[in-house]
Amino acid sequence: MKLRLALVLMAVLAAVAGCAERGVIAERPVSTENEAYRLDTGDKLRIVVFGQPDLSGDFSVDSTGAVSMPLMPPIPARGYTTDEFEEVVAAELSRTLLRNPNVSVQVMEFRPFFILGEVQRAGQYPYVNGMTVQSAVAIAGGFTYRADEDRIKITRNRGDRIVELGVDSTAPVMPGDTILVRERYF
């Protein structure tokens, strides 16, 4: 009897282990409502240095994660919130050009999100504040007839790691996310 129970338990564990995907960090989605937005490649910023119109303007975070401003070396922006980046820019300006600079940073355009799989028009789309998976699918033309609306995954960059989240259609989408809508089998 114990042997049968052990064999059944091993079979169940082997089946569960076979379902796991390799090389992916699986996490449950967490609320991103209070999570501060972090800058990354593709974001377009408006940086205003008060009283200095020559240093102010619209800038992009480049592929290295830095922002190039006039008269300044590239300033690392990747991973900072806008408030943190304001402090970094002010510190760099006070170190090299100005005394007590007052800096304001706004995100003018967020980096795009990507949607793949069983949607009408997979591709890259501009991010809109407050976006959910459902609105992202609507932007991509809706689900195909083969879409499994319960098997949606979001791949998200979280600092030094990439996580894959199993989500439902009400989950929030962040800039830079890749949404995958899986195919149903029946």
Side-chain angles (χ1 to χ4, degrees), residues 5 15 21 26 43 52 55 59 78 85 90 110 112 114 118 135:
L5 181 61
E21 296 184 33
D43 288 329
Q52 301 294 325
L55 295 175
F59 304 95
R78 179 178 287 143
F85 189 59
F110 295 99
F114 305 87
E118 296 301 321
S135 57

Side-chain angles (χ1 to χ4, degrees), residues 19-39:
C19 293
E21 296 184 33
R22 296 178 186 200
V24 174
I25 300 171
E27 294 183 2
R28 288 303 313 153
V30 293
S31 173
T32 57
E33 292 174 17
N34 296 326
E35 187 176 319
Y37 179 71
R38 302 274 172 189
L39 301 174

